[in-house]
Amino acid sequence: GENVEQHPSTLSVQEGDSAVIKCTYSDSASNYFPWYKQELGKRPQLIIDIRSNVGEKKDQRIAVTLNKTAKHFSLHITETQPEDSAVYFCAATGGQGAQKLVFGQGTRLTINP
Amino acid sequence: DAGVIQSPRHEVTEMGQEVTLRCKPISGHDYLFWYRQTMMRGLELLIYFNNNVPIDDSGMPEDRFSAKMPNASFSTLKIQPSEPRDSAVYFCASSYRLNTEAFFGQGTRLTVV
């Protein structure tokens, strides 16, 4: 089945700097790659997603890139702010017929003022 | 819509007791997912339903776990008998279609003592 690896597990950056989180997936049939943000004690919420027919997508300070050949995708956050501090999860569809959403282990991002 | 609604929010039970977690998905969503979140294993997909039919239950840890979806607006996850290692946050999520945003409920924090 699908396996999603996420790095790093923790990331600390200065406010205003950029943060990059990387994920790799194993199932070449995967075609949907969302990113979720989970604040402490709260539910995961979608922040951006990308489909396999697109190489890059941007939404204000957040961007995601996808390299299907290498089977990896990345989240880029620019001009980081304290409210960006959270755990971020990547995910990929996988399993039979690429129908199962499998999550990475998560990255705890801390923005230092 | 009030979003995905889970109950109870917190559950403390003794080892060996039966536990039932409940979920009401967003109206009109055809897919319902049950996830378990722990520090060690992250977000694990336990089972998902399409139009009330279980599609993939390969993530259900063992026979002590069972899930049902008797109608489009209600699902349960049952653990019988419960064990301390079942302690985790259990999330229910729903989506309109596959490969679209999954909306998470607030989760049930289960503690088995």
Side-chain angles (χ1 to χ4, degrees):
Chain A
E2 176 69 284
N3 183 47
V4 178
E5 297 287 336
Q6 183 171 347
H7 300 281
S9 57
T10 60
L11 179 61
S12 182
V13 301
Q14 288 299 119
E15 182 178 353
D17 288 350
S18 296
V20 180
I21 302 170
K22 299 182 179 182
C23 290
T24 60
Y25 61 98
S26 60
D27 189 342
S28 57
S30 293
N31 57 9
Y32 176 62
F33 307 91
W35 286 86
Y36 282 79
K37 176 183 180 182
Q38 186 177 28
E39 296 177 351
L40 188 62
K42 297 193 175 179
R43 75 190 84 187
Q45 292 188 293
L46 182 77
I47 55 171
I48 195 168
D49 56 12
I50 191 168
R51 300 178 191 282
S52 57
N53 58 346
V54 175
E56 184 174 359
K57 184 176 179 181
K58 190 173 182 180
D59 182 3
Q60 300 182 335
R61 297 186 297 107
I62 295 173
V64 58
T65 58
L66 171 64
N67 183 326
K68 282 186 62 181
T69 302
K71 291 191 282 189
H72 65 71
F73 56 113
S74 301
L75 176 72
H76 304 252
I77 306 174
T78 59
E79 300 173 18
T80 53
Q81 301 169 4
E83 54 264 37
D84 294 330
S85 294
V87 179
Y88 291 81
F89 293 94
C90 63
T93 52
Q96 289 184 339
Q99 295 179 2
K100 197 161 72 172
L101 193 61
V102 178
F103 283 84
Q105 286 293 94
T107 296
R108 182 174 299 279
L109 175 64
T110 302
I111 308 301
N112 301 309
Chain B
D1 201 309
V4 177
I5 299 174
Q6 291 186 246
S7 65
R9 292 290 311 279
H10 302 274
E11 176 80 33
V12 180
T13 190
E14 291 185 347
M15 181 174 61
Q17 296 297 305
E18 177 180 296
V19 175
T20 299
L21 312 181
R22 297 173 175 79
C23 175
K24 181 182 186 319
I26 294 173
S27 176
H29 281 192
D30 289 342
Y31 290 87
L32 183 140
F33 309 85
W34 281 102
Y35 284 91
R36 177 171 68 176
Q37 186 174 35
T38 61
M39 287 294 293
M40 291 298 296
R41 300 174 71 90
L43 269 167
E44 301 174 274
L45 177 64
L46 302 177
I47 185 172
Y48 80 92
F49 295 83
N50 177 24
N51 291 323
N52 314 340
V53 177
I55 302 300
D56 189 330
D57 64 355
S58 59
M60 296 286 261
E62 48 199 274
D63 292 344
R64 297 184 297 107
F65 286 69
S66 63
K68 294 182 179 180
M69 192 165 186
N71 57 62
S73 60
F74 184 65
S75 177
T76 60
L77 177 68
K78 185 178 293 187
I79 308 172
Q80 166 62 22
S82 58
E83 297 181 3
R85 60 194 169 114
D86 302 330
S87 298
V89 178
Y90 291 80
F91 285 104
C92 174
S94 71
S95 67
Y96 175 56
R97 293 195 306 263
L98 274 177
N99 298 342
T100 61
E101 179 175 1
F103 292 84
F104 282 75
Q106 290 184 297
T108 295
R109 181 175 295 278
L110 173 65
T111 302
V112 183
V113 297

